Amino acid sequence: MARLPSVPRELQYEASVPGMPGIRYRAPRIDDLMKDLFITVEREKAEMRRDGYSGKLLPISFLAISGGGENGAFGAGLLVGWTEHGDRPEFNFVTGVSTGALIAPFAFLGPSYDAQLKRLYTEITAKDVMELRGVVGALFDDSLADNLPLKKLVEANITQDVLDAIAEESRKGRLLLVATTDLDAQRTVYWNITLMAESRNPKALDLIREILVASAAIPGALPPVMIDVEVGGKAYQEMHVDGGTTQQVFLLPAEVALAEVVRRERTVYVIRNSRLDVTSTEVPRDALSIAGRAIASLIQTQGVGDLYRIAEQTRRVGAKFRLAYIPGSFDKPLPQAFDRAYMNELFIVGYKLGVAGYPWATKPPGLAGD
């Protein structure tokens, strides 16, 4: 399909969205993110002074939500149950990838959006996410399915009211980041949703919706999202797909020294919308089955590797690491993508664990000493 030219390699770090400079950070160069993090902390201090508090900075909480498709029902259920348990914190920093990017705005805004989060993961089916294309379309188009249903779903849930609420929290010194993958450059791009919401740019709402759709756009299965950018007044297009293509879950870019940004007690919560144990199944001897199983294995091992990276980040700066994941006891088969019965059962699993007080792991698998 026709598209504008991609950004030349030597200009990629200069590319920006027209009318909205500074709203994103391209790995591995994240100097602007460091500056924005310092501004965020200064805003938090100002908010505390307005509330009459003049003591030391309070402990803060980070939340990182992974990809996982329909398995996002686990993370949604856990958050809703956590609210009922009564000790769910207000997260200062929230990050999301893929299905985690769809959860992230509601996790960021807090318990008042639990009902909306529950509906999003218990009342939809595959037809609310994708529409399969015919054989000819699958062969000659950019994906096996059309993502128009997903676009409508995001549009119905990410409204101007939601954006206004995010902007209000941004002014208090809180941060929401979502990751996509620039497929042309094979680089992660981190989008500052809070800054975009606060910009009041009339195009911000549509762009945020596009980014959330892009973060969940599994390459080949769903169409990529083409983002218009410019360098020196010249127009280009970037092809953005599932953030999980480069990272299954992220805290902040590894280069960010958290100790230099927030010198106080920190707890990092990670919700991995997947099982961590390896499942065994007989793979049919055909090309599609073999390729599908290989991709699933890559995603599994990449996800575990991301957990190791986050755990090491937290260890280096003396922060607490807390990990939640789908228990091995959940073995319901997935009959088809985004099966409602499957998602409802998984939501209940997460919900019950949250209500009971989730037994957070303090180390990734293989480091727990058991």
Side-chain angles (χ1 to χ4, degrees):
M1 299 175 66
R3 55 166 291 184
L4 292 178
S6 61
V7 183
R9 180 178 180 179
E10 66 274 12
L11 298 177
Q12 287 172 355
Y13 290 100
E14 300 176 34
S16 64
V17 177
M20 284 187 275
I23 59 168
R24 64 184 195 163
Y25 323 100
R26 179 182 293 273
R29 298 184 188 176
I30 41 74
D31 290 346
D32 288 341
L33 174 55
M34 285 293 294
K35 294 175 184 177
D36 288 342
L37 284 173
F38 278 109
I39 292 172
T40 297
V41 174
E42 290 304 311
R43 284 181 162 193
E44 182 194 5
K45 292 178 181 177
E47 180 72 11
M48 292 167 62
R49 288 194 294 270
R50 282 193 291 270
D51 291 339
Y53 181 82
S54 57
K56 294 181 179 180
L57 288 174
L58 299 173
I60 61 171
S61 299
F62 298 77
L63 175 65
I65 314 170
S66 84
E70 56 280 311
N71 286 336
F74 170 76
L78 176 62
L79 286 165
V80 175
W82 196 355
T83 297
E84 293 201 21
H85 184 68
D87 61 349
R88 174 178 161 184
E90 179 181 82
F91 303 106
N92 302 70
F93 300 87
V94 177
T95 69
V97 177
S98 195
T99 196
L102 301 179
I103 296 173
F106 307 111
F108 178 80
L109 291 175
S112 60
Y113 284 81
D114 279 358
Q116 192 167 343
L117 183 58
K118 179 181 179 180
R119 287 194 300 271
L120 188 61
Y121 281 90
T122 61
E123 297 183 7
I124 68 168
T125 63
K127 67 179 179 63
D128 297 304
V129 178
M130 64 185 75
E131 182 179 342
L132 293 177
R133 290 169 169 163
V135 175
V136 174
L139 290 174
F140 298 103
D141 216 324
D142 56 3
S143 65
L144 299 175
D146 193 338
N147 63 1
L148 181 60
L150 177 59
K151 290 180 178 180
K152 291 181 177 179
L153 184 66
V154 170
E155 183 177 339
N157 284 275
I158 304 300
T159 63
Q160 185 61 51
D161 287 343
V162 169
L163 211 63
D164 292 342
I166 292 173
E168 181 62 27
E169 296 306 310
S170 177
R171 286 187 284 271
K172 296 177 183 177
R174 300 177 63 213
L175 182 69
L176 171 61
L177 297 179
V178 165
T180 63
T181 297
D182 179 345
L183 200 57
D184 296 316
Q186 293 184 310
R187 293 284 190 184
T188 303
V189 176
Y190 305 100
W191 300 84
N192 190 328
I193 304 299
T194 32
L195 190 61
M196 295 169 68
E198 195 180 343
S199 73
R200 302 299 182 182
N201 188 297
K203 296 182 179 180
L205 178 58
D206 286 340
L207 180 58
I208 289 174
R209 288 168 172 170
E210 287 185 346
I211 291 165
L212 296 181
V213 170
S215 187
I218 303 170
L222 292 173
V225 173
M226 307 307 298
I227 303 292
D228 292 329
V229 297
E230 64 180 11
V231 180
K234 185 174 181 178
Y236 299 94
Q237 274 188 329
E238 297 172 345
M239 179 180 287
H240 285 259
V241 298
D242 192 338
T245 305
T246 45
Q247 286 183 287
Q248 284 294 306
V249 61
F250 74 99
L251 172 58
L252 288 171
E255 297 82 358
V256 175
L258 295 181
E260 296 302 318
V261 178
V262 280
R263 292 181 177 275
R264 52 182 144 161
E265 182 181 333
R266 292 140 293 170
T267 303
V268 174
Y269 295 95
V270 181
I271 298 178
R272 179 70 177 112
N273 291 304
S274 173
R275 289 173 50 161
L276 298 187
D277 56 325
V278 179
T279 59
S280 179
T281 185
E282 182 175 308
V283 181
R285 193 170 180 178
D286 62 75
L288 288 179
S289 297
I290 293 170
R293 183 65 171 174
I295 291 171
S297 299
L298 287 170
I299 291 173
Q300 173 75 11
T301 53
Q302 180 197 41
V304 172
D306 289 337
L307 297 180
Y308 275 82
R309 183 174 60 252
I310 293 174
E312 175 60 15
Q313 282 182 268
T314 59
R315 185 196 66 79
R316 286 202 310 265
V317 300
K320 298 175 183 177
F321 178 83
R322 299 291 183 264
L323 171 65
Y325 53 90
I326 298 175
S329 58
F330 181 78
D331 57 1
K332 180 180 176 63
L334 177 65
Q336 62 177 353
F338 298 96
D339 179 76
R340 179 179 289 180
Y342 174 94
M343 294 175 69
N344 271 267
E345 286 197 32
L346 186 52
F347 181 93
I348 291 171
V349 168
Y351 172 78
K352 288 182 176 179
L353 287 169
V355 169
Y358 189 86
W360 297 88
T362 58
K363 296 179 180 179
L367 291 181
D370 53 23

